[in-house]
Amino acid sequence: MKKHTVVLLLVLIYAFQGAISQEITGELKKWHKITLEFQGPETSEDAEDNPFLNYKLDVTFKHQNSGKIYMVPGYFAADGNAGNTSASSGNIWRVHFSPDEIGEWTYSVRFLKDKWAAVRVSKKLKSAGFMDKKEGAFAISATDKIGDDMRAKGRLQYVGERYLKFAETGEYFLKCGADAPENFLAYEEFDGTFHNDGIKDNLVKTWEAHEKDWKEGDPTWKSGKGKDIIGAINYLASKGMNVFSFITMNIEGDDKNVFPYIDYNTYDRFDVSKLDQWETVFEHGEKLGMFLHFKTLEAENQGLLDNGGVGLYTKLYYRELIARFGHHLALNWNLCEETGDWQKVIRTMPVDVQGRLTLANYVNSVDPYKHHLVIHNGNWFTGIYGKDSKFTGASLQTGKTDFSQVHNRVLQILKEADAKGKTWAVACDEPGDAQHSLVPDKDNPEHNNARKNGLWGAMMAGAWGTEWYFGYKHAHSDLSCQDYRSRDLFWDQGKICLDFFKNNKVPFWKMTSNDSLISSKGDYVLAEEGKNYVVFLKNGGVSTLNLKDHSGEYSVMWYNPRTGGELKKGKVKTIKGTGKQSLGTPPKDKDKDWVVWVTKK
């Protein structure tokens, strides 16, 4: 009997037996979001017996053939439709799961109640009754998604290499997109009083410029809210970008309008309806093929929860994020922007290397899917490399207006991480400087340095992508931007870069940076020596590529990083032999930047 027939029979059997009831929602397909919804105790966001802290919902999922086990945290969901009703009370509790195997899965529920139960691991926690010890089963069939939808590709995983890899398709991922504005989620149509409380209300966003990018059939909440922010994601995706970034908690710092709590001063109670609305945005992004960069803190907020330690409030914060959003397939948890930069916060406190490691251990222990775990440099990454560290990469910030640090900083981290015994996946998520970085098109339509030194500089060093910060001395800045079209011309250049690697099937995951192979100083080479070479010439001209002792015949093709398009032939179409070989001159614009694709025939 064919496998899909067995799966269909399982679905019918469970449905007939009543095992698949209204408590399981979502498409029962591989990589899709499956929600288990239970009726538990009636409570509210402000209940004296705190539902977020004094209850703990965990569901263990087991695949019957492979034996895979995932223990997934759950959360209080008010009336189960809070994103639309703004409910703050109810009796619905939820768990989200994204299965990675077809066939039969079973589940078992633990629902516990005790003081601070949510952040305790004690075996003495008491049963809360209701759905505690409930068991069930369901059958999963193959996904029907195609194209950019992340559900067609599977979970994006750190696999001990410099690039993240999709579990379903086996393809490696390169990203390019927006790192700014950091207060992306400071949106006036989300629930909460942050947008009219007199605290930095001028920074609250309408995203009005992108309402025209919303499409019929796209999600909204509360009878039509959310079109503008959904449109913003649509626009980035339409430009070929595949990532956007956002801070999830910024009570201290520049903006103060983004946080998951019911107010500015209560760190153990969450705004259920607002977080449901966030999920609508993230879910839409995933369907469009967008990587979700969760920046969970920034420097000014490091001391806010537990005085910077990994205590009750910190643990609860990360548990809630993971419970609500950890099912998404392509994301990283960034544990802090400019982390360890205590000079911005509490001048008497030293850099807490052990604190970084402890937090990474905790997040990794709660996250059932072991998503890519990164940190943003304030202080450097010294002390958190190594086999025993749960960190799997860096979210790199550089300085310099001309983006000249990007290439060497990526190489530095990769080298340092390897020396400590664990390869990291590095992305440059804030290339450039704080004042300018990626300026609006009207200030610099060509973006030459951003393209040459930042975009291609990162990729040619072995970074798995770039995200782009908007400097504070320009319109549409990291705090004020509400229109991604302010950088429309640069998004084109980002897509051109991604297209080169994708369309030409460049095996970048097998290639490493070796700039010594090119004769022209300051240019870049990414090489799988003896087979494939990507050469980036910043100013065109004639250069020689050192093949060393890798004899053979190689084709030489040229790619325009400014305009994209098909590969072109130059005067030199093939090179033969060993040692230094001339690549000839570009097809045109001989003093501008070009990419040379050299492959062994």
Side-chain angles (χ1 to χ4, degrees):
M1 186 179 293
K2 294 183 178 179
K3 185 178 292 185
H4 69 270
T5 304
V6 174
V7 172
L8 179 59
L9 284 173
L10 282 169
V11 172
L12 292 173
I13 290 169
Y14 287 129
F16 179 76
Q17 293 177 341
I20 297 180
S21 67
Q22 292 181 349
E23 71 185 18
I24 301 180
T25 60
E27 295 179 295
L28 297 177
K29 296 177 181 177
K30 188 179 180 183
W31 305 121
H32 292 226
K33 171 182 167 184
I34 310 300
T35 299
L36 271 63
E37 190 170 279
F38 305 106
Q39 292 187 18
E42 181 78 29
T43 185
S44 66
E45 292 173 355
D46 59 357
E48 182 177 353
D49 197 1
N50 188 333
F52 306 102
L53 183 58
N54 294 334
Y55 288 88
K56 185 175 189 176
L57 172 61
D58 287 324
V59 176
T60 299
F61 297 88
K62 182 176 181 180
H63 188 258
Q64 292 305 288
N65 289 335
S66 70
K68 286 183 179 178
I69 295 176
Y70 294 96
M71 190 173 78
V72 182
Y75 63 93
F76 170 58
D79 68 349
N81 191 29
N84 289 305
T85 65
S86 296
S88 60
S89 63
N91 69 338
I92 302 301
W93 301 72
R94 280 183 176 153
V95 172
H96 301 306
F97 176 54
S98 50
D100 57 357
E101 297 279 1
I102 64 171
E104 182 184 358
W105 287 85
T106 61
Y107 67 87
S108 59
V109 182
R110 292 295 287 152
F111 186 49
L112 306 171
K113 184 179 184 301
D114 214 327
K115 184 178 180 181
W116 303 346
V119 295
R120 291 170 59 194
V121 294
S122 172
K123 294 182 180 180
K124 297 180 180 180
L125 297 177
K126 302 169 186 176
S127 172
F130 295 93
M131 58 280 198
D132 186 42
K133 299 182 181 179
K134 183 177 179 61
E135 296 181 343
F138 53 89
I140 294 297
S141 59
T143 182
D144 58 350
K145 304 305 176 186
I146 59 173
D148 293 330
D149 192 317
M150 291 298 184
R151 294 170 295 177
K153 301 177 180 182
R155 189 167 290 112
L156 186 61
Q157 299 173 313
Y158 168 76
V159 291
E161 302 176 31
R162 289 175 293 125
Y163 300 94
L164 307 184
K165 187 177 183 180
F166 285 109
E168 181 70 18
T169 63
E171 64 184 294
Y172 290 87
F173 182 63
L174 292 176
K175 69 172 180 176
C176 186
D179 178 72
E182 68 177 36
N183 56 348
F184 173 83
L185 295 173
Y187 175 49
E188 68 172 5
E189 293 190 359
F190 287 139
D191 281 359
T193 60
F194 64 90
H195 39 70
N196 57 12
D197 59 8
I199 302 175
K200 297 292 183 81
D201 292 345
N202 60 307
L203 295 176
V204 173
K205 303 188 182 305
T206 66
W207 287 112
E208 184 179 2
H210 288 294
E211 184 175 359
K212 63 184 177 183
D213 298 306
W214 184 86
K215 299 177 181 178
E216 195 65 37
D218 286 346
T220 60
W221 55 88
K222 298 180 74 170
S223 301
K225 286 189 175 184
K227 290 182 178 180
D228 317 89
I229 198 168
I230 293 293
I233 297 171
N234 286 349
Y235 166 75
L236 286 175
S238 76
K239 298 297 292 184
M241 299 298 93
N242 58 10
V243 59
F244 65 99
S245 170
F246 42 88
I247 283 179
T248 52
M249 208 275 279
N250 197 13
I251 289 173
E252 297 294 343
D254 300 319
D255 174 74
K256 302 185 186 301
N257 290 300
V258 180
F259 49 89
Y261 306 117
I262 58 174
D263 59 47
Y264 286 93
N265 302 305
T266 306
Y267 308 140
D268 59 0
R269 297 175 185 269
F270 298 91
D271 188 328
V272 175
S273 61
K274 178 166 65 176
L275 295 183
D276 274 4
Q277 292 158 4
W278 285 11
E279 168 63 6
T280 298
V281 174
F282 300 153
E283 193 168 39
H284 183 68
E286 180 169 78
K287 292 176 181 178
L288 296 181
M290 303 297 277
F291 181 91
L292 306 175
H293 184 160
F294 282 80
K295 291 189 289 188
T296 59
L297 293 173
E298 66 172 342
E300 294 86 348
N301 292 276
Q302 287 174 92
L304 184 66
L305 304 179
D306 307 309
N307 293 316
V310 184
L312 182 152
Y313 296 117
T314 300
K315 290 180 178 180
L316 190 64
Y317 170 60
Y318 283 99
R319 179 182 168 87
E320 189 77 10
L321 288 181
I322 292 167
R324 286 180 164 275
F325 310 123
H327 63 278
H328 287 294
L329 301 171
L331 66 83
N332 63 220
W333 305 120
N334 187 339
L335 298 192
C336 195
E337 185 189 36
E338 298 175 349
T339 182
D341 196 354
W342 287 104
Q343 296 302 310
K344 288 188 175 182
V345 193
I346 305 172
R347 294 183 179 275
T348 59
M349 295 189 71
V351 176
D352 186 8
V353 173
Q354 187 55 50
R356 289 172 160 188
L357 294 170
T358 300
L359 180 56
N361 287 341
Y362 175 74
V363 172
N364 179 264
S365 72
V366 178
D367 180 6
Y369 308 111
K370 313 307 179 192
H371 287 292
H372 189 40
L373 197 58
V374 304
I375 207 157
H376 194 82
N377 56 298
N379 289 92
W380 199 244
F381 305 97
T382 306
I384 62 172
Y385 297 119
K387 294 180 180 179
D388 295 331
S389 171
K390 298 302 181 184
F391 286 106
T392 52
S395 175
L396 174 64
Q397 172 183 343
T398 68
K400 302 293 184 183
T401 306
D402 63 356
F403 305 91
S404 58
Q405 289 182 334
V406 170
H407 188 73
N408 288 335
R409 288 288 188 268
V410 172
L411 290 174
Q412 179 184 349
I413 299 171
L414 291 172
K415 181 179 179 180
E416 290 175 353
D418 283 343
K420 294 297 182 179
K422 182 178 181 178
T423 297
W424 269 17
V426 178
C428 191
D429 294 328
E430 285 196 23
D433 67 327
Q435 298 181 54
H436 308 289
S437 196
L438 186 63
V439 301
D441 291 343
K442 68 179 182 62
D443 295 341
N444 182 359
E446 293 185 336
H447 299 289
N448 288 326
N449 284 331
R451 179 183 66 257
K452 295 179 184 181
N453 299 330
L455 177 64
W456 285 91
M459 296 300 201
M460 297 295 291
W464 64 278
T466 57
E467 296 175 25
W468 294 85
Y469 169 86
F470 307 158
Y472 67 78
K473 280 201 169 181
H474 299 262
H476 306 285
S477 75
D478 186 43
L479 291 174
S480 66
C481 180
Q482 300 197 59
D483 187 358
Y484 285 126
R485 281 187 175 81
S486 57
R487 275 82 174 174
D488 187 83
L489 295 175
F490 184 79
W491 305 136
D492 290 337
Q493 297 186 23
K495 184 178 185 300
I496 288 167
C497 180
L498 295 179
D499 283 350
F500 169 75
F501 289 96
K502 180 179 180 180
N503 295 345
N504 297 298
K505 299 181 180 179
V506 178
F508 54 86
W509 59 94
K510 298 179 181 179
M511 306 171 78
T512 56
S513 174
N514 190 346
D515 300 336
S516 67
L517 298 178
I518 195 69
S519 62
S520 44
K521 187 176 180 180
D523 290 339
Y524 310 133
V525 177
L526 198 61
E528 182 187 13
E529 292 189 45
K531 294 183 179 180
N532 298 292
Y533 302 83
V534 177
V535 180
F536 188 85
L537 303 176
K538 292 185 184 179
N539 300 299
V542 178
S543 298
T544 59
L545 177 66
N546 189 352
L547 299 176
K548 296 184 178 178
D549 59 352
H550 301 293
S551 63
E553 183 175 0
Y554 298 80
S555 64
V556 180
M557 301 295 288
W558 296 76
Y559 183 77
N560 189 328
R562 290 160 278 112
T563 61
E566 300 295 322
L567 294 173
K568 300 180 183 298
K569 294 181 179 179
K571 188 172 182 180
V572 174
K573 297 176 179 60
T574 60
I575 53 178
K576 296 180 181 180
T578 59
K580 297 179 179 179
Q581 301 288 331
S582 175
L583 298 175
T585 55
K588 62 177 182 178
D589 299 328
K590 294 178 173 51
D591 60 346
K592 294 186 178 180
D593 52 320
W594 282 88
V595 180
V596 194
W597 178 217
V598 180
T599 57
K600 192 171 187 177
K601 290 189 175 181

